């Protein structure tokens, strides 16, 4: 039993380390399922393409020789609400060394909000100024790491995507609940409504926000695995519709194709990074506090993979 448990944990952690490729995989699979769907897929990519006005960092030539970075935002956006970035991740990919990095920044991290002249939780940057302010704030937090591209996923719309693929199965590592939704330890089958509750749980998980980030990554990974199966051809339109309504990126279909061609080997060498810090209250608000030394350490690691130094 212990050996089986270790195997399941090892498989799950491996899946979490490749979250960038999970997100990009949605686009890659949609672009390559069948030849007849190319036009529909391109139309969807045109729909979700949303460049950032006044973007600070420039895109790079994705020829395999130039490293690049991607900001991944999971937005908890409900009806009538702009939303905050429930998940904030920075990925760097180097096609020469075939190495990728994935840094998860806790949503409660105390940070200077660039362009808003305030200090707040880092997830407030998106609420105040959209993707542009989120990019600039993350760049400042990481002492100058540029953000070349972004991918934004509406976590509320995750329900549509899960239902479009016919539900997903995940391995839940503890008993957790959210209001009237209970999820027992073990393999759990989720429809769209259940999946949305599953990825929002925090209070009944001792790991707090870190546990929630893990579940978000698990569900998205499970969705991609379903998209890659042949039976999704029968509900291809529903999948495209869910993607079109709930995702935005400044990566074009040409960019995605070039990444798949020139950088895909990096998926086998992914460094999963976390932010070391301490929790505490300031003016009655709970923050995750990160030292200047830790921020510089993160910068140095990311800058090395981006060949900035």
């Amino acid at each position: 039993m212990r050996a089986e448990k270790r195997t399941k944990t090892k498989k799950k952690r491996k899946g979490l380390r490749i979250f960038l490729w999970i997100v990009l995989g949605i686009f890659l699979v949609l672009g390559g399922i069948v030849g007849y769907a190319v036009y529909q897929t391109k139309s969807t990519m045109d729909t979700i393409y949303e460049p950032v006005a006044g973007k600070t960092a420039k895109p790079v030539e994705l020829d395999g020789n130039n490293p690049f970075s991607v900001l991944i935002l999971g937005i908890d956006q409900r009806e009538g609400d702009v939303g905050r970035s429930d998940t904030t991740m920075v990925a760097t990919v180097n096609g020469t060394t075939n190495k990728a990095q994935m840094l998860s920044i806790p949503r409660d991290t105390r940070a200077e909000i660039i362009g808003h002249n305030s200090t707040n939780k880092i997830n407030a940057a998106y609420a105040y100024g959209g993707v542009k302010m989120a990019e600039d704030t993350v760049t400042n937090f990481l002492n100058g790491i540029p953000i070349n591209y972004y991918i934004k996923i509406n976590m509320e719309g995750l329900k549509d995507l899960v239902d479009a693929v016919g539900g997903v199965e995940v391995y839940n590592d503890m008993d957790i609940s959210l209001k009237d939704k209970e999820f027992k330890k073990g393999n759990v089958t989720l429809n769209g409504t259940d999946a949305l509750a599953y990825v929002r749980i925090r209070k009944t998980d001792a790991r707090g926000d870190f546990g929630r980030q893990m579940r978000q990554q698990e569900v998205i990974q499970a969705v991609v695995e379903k998209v890659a199966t042949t039976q999704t051809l029968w509900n291809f339109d529903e999948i495209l519709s869910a993607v079109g309504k709930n995702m935005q990126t400044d990566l074009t279909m040409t960019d995605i194709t070039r990444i798949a061609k020139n950088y895909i080997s990096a998926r086998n060498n992914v460094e999963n990074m976390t932010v070391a810090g301490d929790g505490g209250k300031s003016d009655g608000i709970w923050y995750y506090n990160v030292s200047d030394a830790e921020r510089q350490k993160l910068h140095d690691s990311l800058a090395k993979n981006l060949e900035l130094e």
Side-chain angles (χ1 to χ4, degrees), residues 53-201:
K55 190 179 182 77
T56 303
K58 296 181 179 180
V60 303
E61 185 177 355
L62 298 170
D63 58 2
N65 297 315
N66 300 304
F68 67 94
S69 62
V70 181
L71 176 65
I72 302 171
L73 298 172
I75 306 301
D76 192 1
Q77 183 176 356
R78 311 180 193 193
E79 187 175 352
D81 180 27
V82 174
R84 293 194 175 201
S85 50
D86 209 38
T87 298
T88 301
M89 307 182 79
V90 176
T92 69
V93 186
N94 189 310
T96 302
T97 62
N98 287 326
K99 178 179 178 179
Q101 295 170 308
M102 183 60 59
L103 170 67
S104 295
I105 304 176
R107 53 175 278 168
D108 294 329
T109 299
R110 185 181 177 92
E112 180 183 357
I113 309 300
I114 303 303
H116 192 260
N117 193 32
S118 67
T119 298
N120 206 324
K121 297 181 179 184
I122 200 166
N123 70 335
Y126 176 81
Y128 290 146
V131 174
K132 173 67 163 58
M133 193 170 288
E135 287 186 344
D136 291 345
T137 297
V138 169
T139 290
N140 182 71
F141 176 75
L142 296 173
N143 292 345
I145 294 298
I147 302 297
N148 302 120
Y149 304 99
Y150 82 92
I151 297 172
K152 184 180 77 170
I153 305 171
N154 180 8
M155 300 308 292
E156 180 76 13
L158 184 64
K159 172 182 179 297
D160 297 336
L161 197 54
V162 171
D163 284 337
V165 299
V168 297
E169 183 176 295
V170 298
Y171 180 77
N172 180 31
D173 61 358
M174 65 172 63
D175 291 343
I176 50 178
S177 63
L178 179 68
K179 296 181 179 179
D180 60 337
K181 296 285 186 182
E182 293 187 0
F183 303 96
K184 298 296 184 180
K185 181 178 179 180
N187 292 323
V188 180
T189 300
L190 306 171
N191 60 24
T193 300
D194 290 340
L196 194 57
Y198 185 73
V199 301
R200 281 180 169 161
I201 293 172

Side-chain angles (χ1 to χ4, degrees), residues 20-21 67-68 91-102 263 265-273 301-302 304-306:
L20 171 63
W21 304 108
F68 67 94
T92 69
V93 186
N94 189 310
T96 302
T97 62
N98 287 326
K99 178 179 178 179
Q101 295 170 308
M102 183 60 59
Y263 297 87
S265 294
R267 74 187 189 280
N268 298 316
N269 183 22
V270 182
E271 177 187 4
N272 191 35
M273 302 170 62
S301 179
L302 295 169
K304 182 178 180 181
N305 203 43
L306 289 172

Side-chain angles (χ1 to χ4, degrees), residues 25-49 157 160-166 223 227 232-248 253:
I26 292 175
F27 303 134
L28 297 177
V29 171
L30 291 179
I33 289 180
V34 284
Y36 81 87
V38 170
Y39 174 77
Q40 292 95 318
T41 303
K42 185 180 185 303
S43 296
T44 297
M45 291 302 297
D46 290 342
T47 299
I48 67 177
Y49 176 70
D160 297 336
L161 197 54
V162 171
D163 284 337
V165 299
V223 168
V227 171
T232 58
L233 293 176
W234 301 109
N235 53 353
F236 191 69
D237 289 342
E238 288 84 352
I239 295 172
L240 287 177
S241 176
V243 170
K245 290 190 298 182
N246 299 304
M247 293 187 187
Q248 285 184 338
M253 189 167 182

